[in-house]
Amino acid sequence: MKNFNVRKLILAFADIFIIIVGTLITNSIFHFIAPSYSHGFFGLYYIMIADVILCGLIQFSLGSYAKSWRYFKLTDYVICGAGMFAGQLLAILIFFMVHRDVSKLFFLINFVVTTAGVLLFRFCFRKTFLTISDAGKDSNAVRTLIVGAGHAAEMILAEIEGSRFDPNNPTANIDVVGLVDDSPAKIHSRVRGERVLGTTSDIVSISESFNVEQIIFAIPSCSKDDRKRILDICALTKCKIKVIPYLGDLLFDDQHTQLISQAVDIKIEDLLGREPVSFDKNEIKAFIKGKVCMITGGGGSIGSELVRQIAKYSPKSIIIVDIYENNAYDVQQEIIMEYGDSIDLVTLISSVRDYDKMDYIFAKYRPQLVFHAAAHKHVPLMETVPEEAVKNNIFGTFNVATLAEKYKADKFVLISTDKAVNPTNVMGCTKRVCEMIIQYKAQRSEHTDFVTTRFGNVLGSNGSVIPLFRRQIESGNPVTVTHPDIIRYFMTIPEAVSLVLEAGAIAKGGEIFVLDMGEPVKIVTLAENLIRMYGKEPYKDVEIKFTGLRPGEKLYEELLMDEEGLKKTVNKKIFIGNQIDINADSFLPELDELRNAAESNESDKVLSLLENMVPTFNHLTN
């Protein structure tokens, strides 16, 4: 009875009235056609009672009373008519068993009259309801379902109500159709007048029935497992999905007074199944504040995020070094627009390969903190020109590290990769040699702390799978995955950069910092989820094509080499790999020989020398 609200009562009483009146009309019509035939008063009374009870019960069981007026469709009218037919057919059978003398024509006319009346009432009432309820409403309002019926949902509903008289507020364009919540006590209850329509398992069916266009995930305290489960269900709909951030990420200050304004579009990382790693912002601020910070590769995906995050912590100045002027210009303009003249920003188009130019930059600006993100990192491309990977990755790193030591920088942080662990491709092997260079410097430097940060694939970075998948889906092409079983560790760009900054803050020199990235994720699963987020069905609307492993690519990535033990840090998600001793007598001569081979563009010799320097290099040519 709790679910039997006013709307259902209106329908039920209307049906009773229409069936009674319709039966009386039928009796008049029938008497005109067959004046000699009569059911008698009590016969007519029994017909009315049987029709009312049986039609009502069948309509209720078919859900005819549960449908919202706004979303009543042709199929719902058909179901309603079928319910009337079934109810009256049962009434005929019962009346026949009791009375025997039955006119089939009477029941046929009665079915037509009463069913037409019931359907016509629904049609007219729906039109009237829509006219009244939509009076003053924006016809372009986005039909929205809210996931969660707790405090966050109540705040969002209050914000929507408060914005109705402000047409310039984007919140005013939201039409809430209802909420869902997994608490049994909240089902069919109301939050600020909006009904809880069901549980999260009903999201797909509710979205279809109520023509939902947007879903707002409003459970900021949700556990990572429940979050992933619910977002996986949301991804099965064709709705746009917005997510209220985790509690720790919410802001309430002069610029952030509303909760709904902090809702963000769902990102593929929301489906990875783990909470974002948190970092000690106070420690990072103490590390950055008042320092001259240099970021090589500062226009790239990791480098530009380093610039953004460093800018938040009041550095003395930021020096962006990048060979690609377009990216460097973009991040330069972004920082200028946000901070104006409050940050001393220098943007230099230069190559880390050019030792003399880098020496000039170090001598002029004297960076105290150096973040080395410049690198070639596209695995298949580096397979074809290993000498270029060596020139840029290895000797670019050697140049910058040597100059950091020469000009007594406080700290040097190398951006490395999990592909450096037991590498199977040229890019990974060159990054492993970079790690060896940094460990060599760390063991001998008197002034500069050298540290390496190693993480897996970064979602949305240049060269990652997500931008490629997006381009393929948007252009209508098949999504290409190399292998159905290929898996990778993933992290977000902000997480990767926060790791770099916190590692720099706690580094003593020589460490390899590794982030606990949770469980690895199948690439094909990411592709399927991304396709669903575009409102399409994998393998039906968008094909997924398996192209085979590329040169140097392996199915699984590792984060630590066998000889590197793990040590805990103050952050339970960050670990330290032990420093590996480098033999200086052989290491520097090997680097010289490798440099000569690379500058002579001898690809085969470069590969041979890399294999000699990195015994764990198992080159896969596929």
Side-chain angles (χ1 to χ4, degrees):
M1 292 299 295
K2 186 178 180 181
N3 193 30
F4 203 82
N5 55 24
V6 174
R7 179 174 50 81
K8 295 180 181 180
L9 284 171
I10 292 173
L11 266 181
F13 281 119
D15 285 351
I16 292 170
F17 178 78
I18 290 169
I19 289 172
I20 291 173
V21 173
T23 304
L24 292 173
I25 293 172
T26 299
N27 192 54
S28 300
I29 295 172
F30 186 72
H31 268 291
F32 180 78
I33 297 172
S36 60
Y37 188 92
S38 176
H39 290 104
F41 174 77
F42 288 108
L44 191 63
Y45 177 77
Y46 287 135
I47 291 172
M48 289 180 186
I49 295 297
D51 280 355
V52 167
I53 294 174
L54 293 172
C55 289
L57 288 174
I58 291 176
Q59 294 281 39
F60 187 83
S61 65
L62 291 175
S64 294
Y65 297 133
K67 194 72 175 179
S68 173
W69 291 111
R70 181 180 297 277
Y71 307 110
F72 218 76
K73 301 176 183 175
L74 178 61
T75 53
D76 300 304
Y77 288 105
V78 172
I79 290 171
C80 184
M84 290 294 294
F85 176 78
Q88 297 209 20
L89 182 62
L90 283 174
I92 290 175
L93 294 175
I94 293 172
F95 195 80
F96 177 77
M97 288 186 291
V98 173
H99 206 276
R100 296 283 179 180
D101 184 16
V102 177
S103 171
K104 297 181 180 63
L105 180 60
F106 179 89
F107 281 97
L108 178 61
I109 296 171
N110 192 41
F111 166 72
V112 173
V113 172
T114 55
T115 301
V118 166
L119 295 180
L120 185 62
F121 173 80
R122 277 164 167 71
F123 179 79
C124 294
F125 196 90
R126 177 180 180 273
K127 289 290 186 182
T128 305
F129 170 82
L130 291 179
T131 301
I132 295 172
S133 64
D134 289 345
K137 258 191 183 180
D138 184 355
S139 60
N140 296 318
V142 181
R143 291 185 288 277
T144 302
L145 176 69
I146 297 177
V147 178
H151 185 57
E154 190 171 354
M155 289 177 65
I156 288 172
L157 290 171
E159 291 167 9
I160 293 171
E161 288 175 14
S163 68
R164 283 181 179 163
F165 300 103
D166 181 7
N168 296 321
N169 191 326
T171 308
N173 196 38
I174 294 177
D175 176 19
V176 178
V177 302
L179 305 89
V180 294
D181 197 285
D182 286 332
S183 171
K186 294 180 179 178
I187 304 301
H188 306 308
S189 65
R190 289 183 179 272
V191 179
R192 299 189 73 91
E194 299 295 342
R195 196 158 63 92
V196 179
L197 302 171
T199 66
T200 56
S201 60
D202 301 317
I203 287 174
V204 175
S205 60
I206 290 172
S207 298
E208 293 174 353
S209 298
F210 288 80
N211 292 343
V212 174
E213 299 171 285
Q214 174 178 263
I215 296 173
I216 297 180
F217 182 91
I219 318 177
S221 60
C222 190
S223 70
K224 64 176 183 179
D225 292 335
D226 280 341
R227 188 184 186 90
K228 182 179 185 303
R229 175 184 62 80
I230 296 170
L231 288 176
D232 281 344
I233 296 172
C234 293
L236 297 175
T237 71
K238 295 184 178 180
C239 304
K240 184 177 182 180
I241 304 168
K242 286 185 172 291
V243 179
I244 299 298
Y246 285 98
L247 282 173
D249 297 326
L250 289 173
L251 299 172
F252 292 99
D253 52 32
D254 293 339
Q255 287 76 40
H256 304 86
T257 58
Q258 289 193 326
L259 187 62
I260 198 168
S261 64
Q262 300 186 57
V264 295
D265 291 342
I266 188 174
K267 301 181 182 67
I268 193 71
E269 55 261 34
D270 290 317
L271 304 175
L272 291 181
R274 65 172 174 83
E275 297 176 13
V277 179
S278 59
F279 297 89
D280 187 341
K281 295 180 181 179
N282 290 327
E283 193 165 34
I284 295 174
K285 183 174 183 178
F287 172 52
I288 297 294
K289 187 175 182 180
K291 303 286 180 60
V292 179
C293 303
M294 173 187 284
I295 302 96
T296 68
S301 49
I302 299 296
S304 61
E305 181 65 18
L306 272 167
V307 173
R308 292 184 195 100
Q309 291 199 25
I310 288 172
K312 296 177 182 178
Y313 298 111
S314 305
K316 181 178 180 180
S317 61
I318 297 176
I319 303 162
I320 299 172
V321 177
D322 202 299
I323 191 61
Y324 184 45
E325 70 272 23
N326 290 349
N327 282 350
Y329 175 80
D330 288 342
V331 69
Q332 177 199 51
Q333 294 305 305
E334 181 183 336
I335 297 301
I336 290 173
M337 282 190 290
E338 184 163 354
Y339 296 95
D341 297 330
S342 63
I343 288 183
D344 179 20
L345 180 67
V346 179
T347 305
L348 302 170
I349 306 304
S350 305
S351 173
V352 294
R353 297 187 187 191
D354 187 340
Y355 180 87
D356 292 336
K357 180 60 180 292
M358 294 304 298
D359 187 29
Y360 168 80
I361 293 171
F362 269 86
K364 181 176 182 179
Y365 296 101
R366 300 283 175 157
Q368 297 163 280
L369 306 177
V370 179
F371 301 91
H372 183 53
H376 287 323
K377 61 182 182 180
H378 287 262
V379 171
L381 295 181
M382 293 305 100
E383 289 299 301
T384 59
V385 282
E387 62 275 15
E388 296 304 313
V390 166
K391 293 173 189 176
N392 197 63
N393 293 1
I394 295 178
F395 292 105
T397 298
F398 190 85
N399 289 343
V400 179
T402 300
L403 291 167
E405 185 179 18
K406 175 181 177 182
Y407 289 96
K408 300 180 180 180
D410 295 337
K411 291 190 180 181
F412 178 101
V413 182
L414 170 70
I415 313 299
S416 190
T417 169
D418 56 357
K419 292 177 177 62
V421 181
N422 298 322
T424 59
N425 51 67
V426 169
M427 193 281 283
C429 187
T430 59
K431 295 298 279 186
R432 179 57 192 159
V433 176
C434 291
E435 293 183 356
M436 294 166 68
I437 290 170
I438 299 311
Q439 291 184 343
Y440 170 80
K441 294 288 187 183
Q443 292 168 7
R444 288 157 181 80
S445 176
E446 296 181 0
H447 306 286
T448 305
D449 293 331
F450 288 90
V451 59
T452 296
T453 57
R454 183 192 291 159
F455 39 79
N457 297 271
V458 180
L459 286 169
S461 66
N462 297 330
S464 75
V465 295
I466 301 304
L468 173 61
F469 288 168
R470 289 189 186 277
R471 288 195 298 271
Q472 290 172 332
I473 295 169
E474 290 168 2
S475 63
N477 291 321
V479 171
T480 55
V481 178
T482 57
H483 194 283
D485 296 325
I486 193 168
I487 63 172
R488 290 292 182 265
Y489 292 92
F490 282 98
M491 66 191 311
T492 67
I493 293 177
E495 280 180 318
V497 169
S498 294
L499 167 65
V500 172
L501 295 178
E502 178 146 329
I506 66 177
K508 303 300 181 184
E511 302 98 333
I512 297 178
F513 288 91
V514 183
L515 179 67
D516 177 4
M517 300 173 67
E519 295 298 317
V521 178
K522 272 192 170 186
I523 300 296
V524 69
T525 302
L526 280 182
E528 291 168 350
N529 285 335
L530 188 60
I531 291 169
R532 292 190 185 100
M533 285 166 55
Y534 273 85
K536 301 178 185 295
E537 187 176 338
Y539 307 104
K540 181 180 178 182
D541 299 323
V542 178
E543 179 187 355
I544 296 180
K545 183 183 293 184
F546 297 103
T547 58
L549 293 175
R550 300 172 298 180
E553 189 172 43
K554 55 185 176 179
L555 284 177
Y556 311 102
E557 300 288 8
E558 305 157 86
L559 291 180
L560 286 171
M561 297 183 68
D562 291 340
E563 67 266 32
E564 295 174 326
L566 281 177
K567 292 181 180 178
K568 294 181 179 180
T569 67
V570 291
N571 189 318
K572 65 180 181 180
K573 290 290 186 179
I574 300 179
F575 297 89
I576 300 175
N578 289 333
Q579 184 173 348
I580 301 171
D581 189 48
I582 305 296
N583 187 338
D585 293 336
S586 60
F587 184 60
L588 292 182
E590 286 173 342
L591 280 179
D592 285 337
E593 190 176 4
L594 182 61
R595 184 196 295 272
N596 293 332
E599 290 178 350
S600 301
N601 297 314
E602 300 177 73
S603 298
D604 292 339
K605 187 173 182 181
V606 164
L607 287 174
S608 177
L609 291 171
L610 286 174
E611 289 171 351
N612 184 57
M613 292 184 70
V614 182
T616 57
F617 180 28
N618 180 22
H619 194 213
L620 298 179
T621 58
N622 296 335

